Amino acid sequence: MTDYFDFFNIPRAFNLDQQELRRKYISNSKASHPDFFTLENKDKQDAVLRMSTLNNEGYNILSDHRRLVQHILQLEGMMPEEGKAQVPGDFLIQMMDINERLMEAQMDPAAQGLQAIFNDLDQLEEELAHTAQCAKDQWDEDHSGSSLETVRDIFLKQQYLRRLRQQIKSGGSQL
Amino acid sequence: MAYSEKLLEHFKHPKNVGTLDKSKKSVGTGLVGAPECGDVMRLQIEVDDATQIIKDAKFKTFGCGSAIASSSLATEWLKGKSVDEALTIDNMAIVEELALPPVKIHCSVLAEDAIKGAIKDYKEKNNIVESKS
């Protein structure tokens, strides 16, 4: 897989300098714009197109914090195989509970209880984000395995909250 | 993406949605999740003490249609089976029955894990020693 930190020649870090990334992205975009290479041979044009694709994809990933975290975890070999990822049982119980409450609240036209769920979600997200940020700062400094494990564990939990948020947005079940 | 008729049927009219009393000794509960998509699935079985036959099964799944269909189908298959027979239910059987596309295979794995979790919980509650084969 492509290491987009390498590609942009930016240090691998959770606290990435977004302005630097943006500068490099724009400068790459100019340098690899297909319109400037219409008179070149096919090999050169293909190379430019590949470069442009990587530039766009890389920017999309690194400028989106969730995807940036996922990218680092993948590069560091910290993402479990599909189906092997585990979160603690009590967290799953909490997620089941909040999903059930959300479903009941969504079916109730008076929408009672929704606000309480939003508050719980906000609080949970804040707690996770705070713990994650400490671990991310730590890892950027010392690249320790334990801090990266914390980032990974929280990332997995955040996936459940993300689904809840999508559920709230869509207001119902999705196939 | 095209989904099979069976899958759509289980998704639109899921069987056995609900909750069993988990404080009962005869009820086993399996709770599993898939962080890839944030799905959570709870599957419960109620076992007849004398015959060791699963007399009821319920589930509640918060997730995509394939996860709902997989758990709905799983509860249908569980009812009437003995606990040991239930352990042989394999996720690939679910994949075949529902014609799950490759990207949704993990939903069937989730259902299998939930079955195994429910049986394990039941056995632990009733001090049945897991027979290792």
Side-chain angles (χ1 to χ4, degrees):
Chain A
M1 89 186 263
T2 308
D3 179 341
Y4 288 112
F5 296 97
D6 256 8
F7 177 81
F8 288 107
N9 194 19
I10 279 181
R12 192 183 289 183
F14 291 109
N15 296 294
L16 178 120
D17 184 342
Q18 288 291 338
Q19 281 182 345
E20 189 188 354
L21 171 68
R22 174 111 191 124
R23 265 199 308 276
K24 290 188 168 172
Y25 165 68
I26 290 171
S27 128
N28 285 344
S29 299
K30 286 179 183 155
S32 66
H33 198 291
D35 285 0
F36 299 148
F37 298 90
T38 48
L39 298 176
E40 299 281 351
N41 63 38
K42 182 145 182 352
D43 283 357
K44 176 75 182 169
Q45 287 191 7
D46 286 351
V48 167
L49 190 64
R50 267 199 305 279
M51 167 85 177
S52 160
T53 308
L54 285 174
N55 188 44
N56 287 320
E57 178 64 10
Y59 182 72
N60 284 341
I61 288 175
L62 297 188
S63 62
D64 175 338
H65 189 69
R66 189 186 70 83
R67 297 185 71 190
L68 175 142
V69 171
Q70 193 175 26
H71 190 52
I72 292 181
L73 290 172
Q74 282 166 340
L75 290 173
E76 297 286 336
M78 288 293 282
M79 281 305 274
E81 262 178 74
E82 194 172 336
K84 298 270 191 294
Q86 290 295 338
V87 298
D90 54 351
F91 183 78
L92 271 187
I93 292 174
Q94 197 180 3
M95 287 303 104
M96 194 72 202
D97 175 60
I98 207 160
N99 269 293
E100 282 184 315
R101 280 167 54 205
L102 176 63
M103 191 183 71
E104 279 163 23
Q106 281 182 331
M107 287 198 300
D108 172 14
Q112 292 259 330
L114 269 179
Q115 196 51 50
I117 295 170
F118 294 164
N119 294 344
D120 285 359
L121 270 180
D122 287 347
Q123 199 194 341
L124 202 54
E125 272 169 353
E126 210 171 293
E127 283 168 16
L128 287 177
H130 176 73
T131 317
Q133 192 54 52
C134 296
K136 286 167 185 169
D137 294 347
Q138 179 80 27
W139 190 81
D140 285 355
E141 208 154 283
D142 64 7
H143 282 218
S144 61
S146 59
S147 58
L148 199 57
E149 268 174 38
T150 306
V151 173
R152 194 246 340 254
D153 292 348
I154 294 176
F155 176 80
L156 295 176
K157 288 183 176 177
Q158 284 169 329
Q159 296 286 93
Y160 289 91
L161 295 171
R162 191 164 163 258
R163 202 198 78 83
L164 275 163
R165 287 288 181 200
Q166 286 166 347
Q167 189 69 16
I168 289 168
K169 234 191 218 165
S170 73
S173 259
Q174 275 179 321
L175 191 56
Chain B
M1 204 182 321
Y3 287 103
S4 71
E5 283 297 318
K6 272 182 188 158
L7 189 151
L8 289 170
E9 177 58 25
H10 275 287
F11 171 62
K12 288 179 189 154
H13 310 287
K15 313 284 188 298
N16 313 310
V17 175
T19 311
L20 297 170
D21 180 1
K22 70 172 179 199
S23 64
K24 274 165 104 176
K25 227 182 148 187
S26 56
V27 171
T29 304
L31 179 61
V32 292
E36 292 83 6
C37 43
D39 290 0
V40 272
M41 181 183 289
R42 185 183 60 214
L43 192 147
Q44 296 178 298
I45 52 168
E46 181 159 21
V47 181
D48 186 303
D49 283 335
T51 60
Q52 287 290 292
I53 299 283
I54 296 169
K55 56 182 182 186
D56 202 3
K58 295 268 186 227
F59 82 95
K60 214 161 209 189
T61 294
F62 297 97
C64 66
S66 299
I68 292 168
S70 294
S71 35
S72 169
L73 177 67
T75 52
E76 284 285 276
W77 280 355
L78 282 169
K79 284 196 276 185
K81 280 200 167 60
S82 74
V83 171
D84 288 328
E85 279 169 351
L87 273 175
T88 64
I89 294 177
D90 173 63
N91 82 288
M92 284 318 286
I94 298 173
V95 171
E96 273 173 39
E97 178 73 12
L98 297 176
L100 290 179
V103 294
K104 292 294 182 183
I105 287 177
H106 70 273
C107 299
S108 67
V109 176
L110 210 55
E112 185 188 320
D113 288 348
I115 293 174
K116 299 230 150 69
I119 292 172
K120 184 162 172 272
D121 181 48
Y122 168 76
K123 287 190 167 175
E124 277 170 7
K125 270 181 172 172
N126 292 275
N127 300 315
I128 301 171
V129 184
E130 198 88 32
S131 56
K132 284 267 175 255
S133 54

